[in-house]
Amino acid sequence: KDQATIDMLFAGASFQHVVSAARHAVETTRVLGLFDTLKYAARGGRVSKHVIELSGISRAKTLLAFRNGEVVSDGIVRTYQSGLDRLIEFAQEVPDVQDLGIAYSTNPGTAEDLRIRLGSVFPVDRIQVEQMGAAIGAHCGPEAVFIALRHS
């Protein structure tokens, strides 16, 4: 959510101004997700068969990012813990983080641990943690976790 954009809308800002602010929010938001398995994403046709085969053969964990409105591979790690470490590194690489959130599919404990670790990047009490809804969770599978951040 970009609360500033929503507030502008209710405050009577022009349509063009609201659209401009929404575009800016999209341009300054980065998302990276860790998947324990891609079999659920495969069912929805969201991931190429080559990526699914590679991760299935090696039992690797997959990192997917959202770039320019598309889901793209951002790497493969050997263990789930390595994937969580990569999420932390991802957040540390972004300068001037303004907002940070975590979305998890089935494990609130993992999300809470990640929130605490992300305290090195952003104030822990301002990190939003939410469980994915059924529609997104069905494509991500169990143990999936995402971080989303907005920078200036």
Side-chain angles (χ1 to χ4, degrees), residues 102 104 107-118 124 129:
I102 301 167
Y104 66 94
N107 194 337
T110 297
E112 180 60 21
D113 291 345
L114 191 56
R115 184 179 75 86
I116 291 166
R117 290 182 63 196
L118 284 165
V124 173
V129 178

Side-chain angles (χ1 to χ4, degrees), residues 54-104:
L54 180 60
S55 69
I57 291 169
S58 64
R59 302 221 186 268
K61 310 307 175 197
T62 305
L63 293 154
L64 297 178
F66 296 94
R67 292 195 187 106
N68 301 320
E70 294 185 30
V71 177
V72 297
S73 176
D74 198 69
I76 296 174
V77 293
R78 295 182 91 192
T79 66
Y80 191 78
Q81 186 59 50
S82 295
L84 294 173
D85 294 343
R86 177 62 190 111
L87 293 177
I88 300 295
E89 292 167 9
F90 168 77
Q92 291 171 336
E93 293 166 359
V94 177
D96 198 23
V97 174
Q98 300 294 309
D99 292 303
L100 197 146
I102 301 167
Y104 66 94

Side-chain angles (χ1 to χ4, degrees), residues 2-141:
D2 183 22
Q3 191 61 48
T5 305
I6 294 168
D7 292 344
M8 287 172 44
L9 182 64
F10 286 110
S14 72
F15 177 74
Q16 205 61 308
H17 193 139
V18 172
V19 168
S20 176
R23 282 190 179 135
H24 178 72
V26 169
E27 292 167 0
T28 58
T29 299
R30 299 187 57 199
V31 179
L32 183 65
L34 172 63
F35 291 75
D36 188 51
T37 176
L38 288 179
K39 74 179 183 180
Y40 300 94
R43 290 179 185 165
R46 303 281 189 238
V47 178
S48 81
K49 291 181 181 182
H50 300 297
V51 172
I52 294 164
E53 289 171 4
L54 180 60
S55 69
I57 291 169
S58 64
R59 302 221 186 268
K61 310 307 175 197
T62 305
L63 293 154
L64 297 178
F66 296 94
R67 292 195 187 106
N68 301 320
E70 294 185 30
V71 177
V72 297
S73 176
D74 198 69
I76 296 174
V77 293
R78 295 182 91 192
T79 66
Y80 191 78
Q81 186 59 50
S82 295
L84 294 173
D85 294 343
R86 177 62 190 111
L87 293 177
I88 300 295
E89 292 167 9
F90 168 77
Q92 291 171 336
E93 293 166 359
V94 177
D96 198 23
V97 174
Q98 300 294 309
D99 292 303
L100 197 146
I102 301 167
Y104 66 94
S105 60
T106 58
N107 194 337
T110 297
E112 180 60 21
D113 291 345
L114 191 56
R115 184 179 75 86
I116 291 166
R117 290 182 63 196
L118 284 165
S120 66
V121 176
F122 196 72
V124 173
D125 61 331
R126 290 187 45 213
I127 298 173
Q128 296 180 14
V129 178
E130 300 290 337
Q131 185 170 22
M132 294 175 196
I136 294 173
H139 292 285
C140 296

